[in-house]
Every structure is written in structure tokens, then in C-alpha cells.
């Protein structure tokens, strides 16, 4: 049931991948303004990750997941109503927005969904070890990544793009229903600890300090959090610029762009099917080094891609290696962190790992805005991808040796 709920939620996430940014580009062509929507969606990871960890260690994690799925349903429902009332939209201006109230409603809805996602995802990752044995974590996470790839990148984007072609409000209304159903499925799961922490022990300063002391004492987890954070920042830069490149360089409508993202999901599906076996065959250290390095050539290939097929192939390769990295890093974290503090350590980790995503979107908007005058519009969009490729290469060089030092020590603690 946990896997089914995850699949339904990730299907909605895939629909949202296309819907948020595509609708933003229909309200304005100003890159800095467009960036406000993904920033609103990801900023909660920087603002609410720490409270989410404390709450995940205090509350029944299953009930918390259900409540946050309900909040995400409400956020998407509000966006659907706003778009339905505003339709049809006039052509987007090069500066400013077609409708300030609608743009504000879109950003507010994205912020609500982002806040719910922070609390929900933290609780879900903390809850999973209660459902599977320690030795089964790699396999369980691989299956979750498989479901995520199918829903988030294969079916979801194509479905979202098709829905946008019918009615702008439709993918948002569909997501409201999907998250509501996912919450109902999680509510039907029996068992699992109600709360890892007794009420008498609750002191948020002490609780947060306990999580920080544990993370500070684990150089491997700190390094993985920082490396994942910068990789997520570069990936956010790429995905932001890619929407505009698809529209302005490749001339793709929403449906075809959705198919590009769907084609990229093949890499994620392969990772979900064989990722745990690839980890065993290559070894965790070698795999993580290769996975991190892969970002540089994949991002560079997207910058010079002559058509959607090349972009899809590069995205697919990036997804494969990115998800195999996650299989090792998430399983290692779940195994090393005691259940009683898992939510808080997860929150600190994900603050560093996911809190960089809005920075990437904002940075891409800034780079495009600054580079457009001297380089031209298309070259400015490509510059964001080249910067991401160079940054990923530098990141690989910085963590190459620490991975070989700290990860083998952690694996001995299995």
C-alpha cells in the first residue's frame, strides 16, 4: 500500500513538473519572474526542513503523511480554481505579467504545496524503515525510485502536457484528486510506531541539538548532504532553462515537451529495476563517483542538443545515475540513523540537500537575465546548462577522495 500511495503521489508530481513552469511561461516571458514559481515551490525546503524533522519524530508518521497529502490536494485545488476563473489567458508579455492576482495565486499555491511536501517527504523517508528490514532497504528504495520514475517522469509529464492542451486548470484539478487518494491509501496502512518519542521528552531545542550532534559526528552524511545539495542546485538550473529552450530553441509545444520528459524516465525505470544489482556489481564507492561525474557530460549534451531526442537521451542518462546515487545515499542514511532521531537528522540532511533547489532556479533566472543582452536569448538559456555542467565537474573533483575514505567505513556498520 505504501508503494501504491507513493506511485499515485509521484504521478501527480510528474504532472506538476510540466504544469507549474509551463503555466508560469504563459503569464510572463521574463525569466526572473518565471523563476518565482519554482522558487516558491522549493523555498519551503530551506524554511521548514528543521521543523519538519522535529514534527516527524513527535507525531505518528503515517498520520502526518495523510495530513500533508490532504494539504497538497488543497493547494492544487486552489490553483485549479484560480486558472479556471482566469481563462482564457491573453498572450504573455516580455516583462510584467498578464494577471498579477493569478500570478500571485499560482505562487501562493506552489508555496502551500511545497510546505506540505517538506513535511510529507521527511515523514515518509523516516517511516519506511519501520516497514522493511535493514537488509532490504536498497531493494525497497530501488522499487520506490522505479515507481517514482514511472509516475514522475514517464507517465506524469506526458499526462500533464496532454491535460494542459485541453484546459489549463485540468492538471491541477487532477493532482488535487490524486493526492487526496494517496492520503486515503496511506491511512489504510496498519502498524508502525505511533510516535518514536514520548511527550515528556519534548523540547524542540534539545531535540534539534540531538539531530545536529549526530549529523556533525558523521562526516559521510554531511558530505553526502552537501554534495546532493549542490547537484540538486545544478539540476534545478538545467530543468528551469530546459523549459524555455524547449519552447524557444526547439519549438516544442507542451505535449512534445512532456514526451521528452517521459523519454528521460526510461533511465530512471532502468535504475529502479537494476539499481540495487548495479550497486553490488560496481561497489558503492565506484558507483557514486561515476554517478556524480555523469552530470557534467549530460548537462553539456543538453546545451548542444539539436533536437528533442538528444535531450531525452541525456536526461535519461542523468536520471539513471542520479537515482542510483539516491539508492546508496538514502539507504545509507536510513541504516545509520537511529529511529528515534531519524526525522530530525533527515530534516537537517534535506535542508542541505533540497534547500539548494530554489537557489538553482533563482540562479538560472539571474544568469539568463544577465547573459541575454550580450549573448542573445538562446545563448543565455544555454549558458545556464554550461554553468551547471562545469559546477558538477568541480563538485565531482572535490568529493572524489572523501567518498573513498568515509563510505567504506559506513558500509562496515551494516
Amino acid at each position: 500500500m505504501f508503494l501504491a500511495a507513493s506511485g499515485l503521489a509521484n504521478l501527480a508530481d510528474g504532472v506538476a513538473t510540466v504544469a507549474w513552469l509551463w503555466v508560469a511561461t504563459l503569464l510572463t516571458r521574463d525569466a526572473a519572474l518565471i523563476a518565482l514559481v519554482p522558487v516558491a515551490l522549493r523555498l519551503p525546503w530551506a524554511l521548514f526542513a528543521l521543523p519538519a524533522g522535529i514534527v516527524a519524530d513527535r507525531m505518528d508518521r503515517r498520520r502526518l503523511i495523510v495530513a500533508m497529502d490532504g494539504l497538497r490536494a488543497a493547494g492544487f485545488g486552489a490553483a485549479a480554481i484560480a486558472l479556471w476563473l482566469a481563462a482564457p489567458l491573453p498572450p504573455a508579455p516580455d516583462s510584467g505579467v498578464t494577471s498579477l492576482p493569478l500570478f500571485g495565486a499560482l505562487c501562493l499555491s506552489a508555496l502551500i504545496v511545497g510546505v506540505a511536501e517538506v513535511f510529507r517527504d521527511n515523514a515518509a523517508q523516516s517511516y519506511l524503515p519501520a516497514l522493511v528490514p535493514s537488509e532490504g532497504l536498497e531493494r525497497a528504495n530501488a522499487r520506490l525510485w522505479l515507481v517514482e520514475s514511472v509516475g514522475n517522469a514517464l507517465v506524469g509529464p506526458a499526462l500533464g502536457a496532454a491535460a494542459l492542451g485541453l484546459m489549463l486548470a485540468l492538471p491541477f484539478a487532477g493532482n488535487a484528486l490524486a493526492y487526496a487518494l494517496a492520503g486515503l491509501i496511506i491511512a489504510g496502512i496498519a502498524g508502525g510506531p505511533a510516535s518514536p518519542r514520548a511527550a515528556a521528552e519534548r523540547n524542540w531545542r534539545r531535540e534539534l541539538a540531538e539531530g545536529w550532534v549526530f549529523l556533525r559526528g558523521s562526516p559521510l552524511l554531511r558530505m553526502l548532504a552537501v554534495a546532493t545539495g549542490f547537484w540538486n542546485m545544478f539540476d534545478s538550473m538545467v530543468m528551469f532553462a530546459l523549459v524555455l529552450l524547449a519552447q524557444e530553441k526547439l519549438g516544442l509545444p507542451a505535449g512534445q515537451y512532456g514526451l521528452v520528459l517521459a523519454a528521460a524516465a526510461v533511465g530512471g525505470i532502468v535504475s529502479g529495476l537494476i539499481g540495487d544489482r548495479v550497486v553490488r556489481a560496481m561497489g558503492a564507492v565506484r558507483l557514486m563517483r561515476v554517478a556524480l561525474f555523469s552530470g557534467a557530460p549530460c548537462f553539456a549534451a543538453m546545451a548542444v542538443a539539436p533536437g528533442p531526442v538528444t535531450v531525452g537521451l541525456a536526461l535519461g542518462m542523468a536520471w539513471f545515475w542520479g537515482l542510483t546515487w539516491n539508492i546508496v545515499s538514502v539507504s545509507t542514511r536510513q541504516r545509520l540513523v537511529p529511529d528515534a532521531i531519524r526525522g530530525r537528522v533527515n530534516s537537517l540532511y534535506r535542508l542541505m540537500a533540497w534547500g539548494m533547489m530554489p537557489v538553482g532556479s533563482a540562479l538560472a533566472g539571474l544568469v539568463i537575465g544577465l547573459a541575454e543582452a550580450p549573448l542573445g536569448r538562446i545563448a543565455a538559456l544555454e549558458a545556464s546548462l554550461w554553468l551547471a555542467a562545469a559546477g558538477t565537474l568541480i563538485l565531482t573533483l572535490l568529493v572524489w577522495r572523501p567518498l573513498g575514505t568515509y563510505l567504506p567505513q559506513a558500509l562496515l556498520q551494516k
Side-chain angles (χ1 to χ4, degrees), residues 180-264:
L181 290 176
L184 289 175
I185 294 173
I186 292 292
I189 297 178
S195 174
R197 197 169 189 83
E201 299 174 330
R202 293 177 178 176
N203 180 298
W204 72 268
R205 291 186 180 88
R206 184 172 66 247
E207 291 175 73
L208 191 58
E210 289 172 354
W212 170 245
V213 168
F214 186 92
L215 187 61
R216 186 180 61 186
S218 175
L220 172 64
L221 292 183
R222 291 201 318 270
M223 180 198 64
L224 291 178
V226 172
T228 304
F230 276 98
W231 200 95
N232 282 337
M233 182 185 77
F234 298 134
D235 184 64
S236 293
M237 293 178 65
V238 169
M239 297 310 297
F240 178 86
L242 207 55
V243 175
L244 296 171
L245 278 170
Q247 293 174 338
E248 301 178 27
K249 178 183 177 181
L250 304 180
L252 302 181
Q256 291 184 25
Y257 179 66
L259 291 177
V260 169
L261 296 182

Side-chain angles (χ1 to χ4, degrees), residues 134-383:
S134 175
E135 62 273 14
L137 284 173
E138 279 83 4
R139 182 176 178 83
N141 280 308
R143 295 301 173 262
L144 285 173
W145 301 135
L146 172 60
V147 168
E148 177 178 329
S149 298
V150 172
N152 206 329
L154 181 62
V155 180
L159 188 61
L164 283 171
L166 296 174
M167 186 194 314
L168 290 182
L170 186 57
F172 295 88
N175 273 11
L177 177 60
Y179 285 123
L181 290 176
L184 289 175
I185 294 173
I186 292 292
I189 297 178
S195 174
R197 197 169 189 83
E201 299 174 330
R202 293 177 178 176
N203 180 298
W204 72 268
R205 291 186 180 88
R206 184 172 66 247
E207 291 175 73
L208 191 58
E210 289 172 354
W212 170 245
V213 168
F214 186 92
L215 187 61
R216 186 180 61 186
S218 175
L220 172 64
L221 292 183
R222 291 201 318 270
M223 180 198 64
L224 291 178
V226 172
T228 304
F230 276 98
W231 200 95
N232 282 337
M233 182 185 77
F234 298 134
D235 184 64
S236 293
M237 293 178 65
V238 169
M239 297 310 297
F240 178 86
L242 207 55
V243 175
L244 296 171
L245 278 170
Q247 293 174 338
E248 301 178 27
K249 178 183 177 181
L250 304 180
L252 302 181
Q256 291 184 25
Y257 179 66
L259 291 177
V260 169
L261 296 182
V266 173
I269 293 170
V270 173
S271 176
L273 289 172
I274 67 171
D276 55 328
R277 283 173 279 173
V278 175
V279 174
R280 290 195 297 270
M282 292 183 63
V285 174
R286 183 181 302 170
L287 181 141
M288 295 194 82
R289 284 171 168 170
V290 172
L292 194 59
F293 170 76
S294 69
C298 288
F299 296 159
M302 293 179 216
V304 298
V309 174
T310 310
V311 174
L313 289 173
L315 277 174
M317 187 63 66
W319 265 73
F320 174 81
W321 288 114
L323 292 186
T324 51
W325 166 283
N326 283 341
I327 289 171
V328 178
S329 63
V330 173
S331 299
T332 299
R333 186 169 81 249
Q334 290 171 332
R335 184 175 289 116
L336 292 179
V337 182
D339 180 69
I341 61 171
R342 188 171 289 129
R344 282 162 284 162
V345 175
N346 276 348
S347 71
L348 289 163
Y349 183 102
R350 290 163 77 90
L351 173 63
M352 292 184 278
W354 287 64
M356 296 295 285
M357 296 177 76
V359 176
S361 297
L363 183 58
L366 179 63
V367 168
I368 294 168
L370 293 176
E372 186 172 358
L375 300 180
R377 177 72 168 182
I378 301 302
L381 296 176
E382 293 171 344

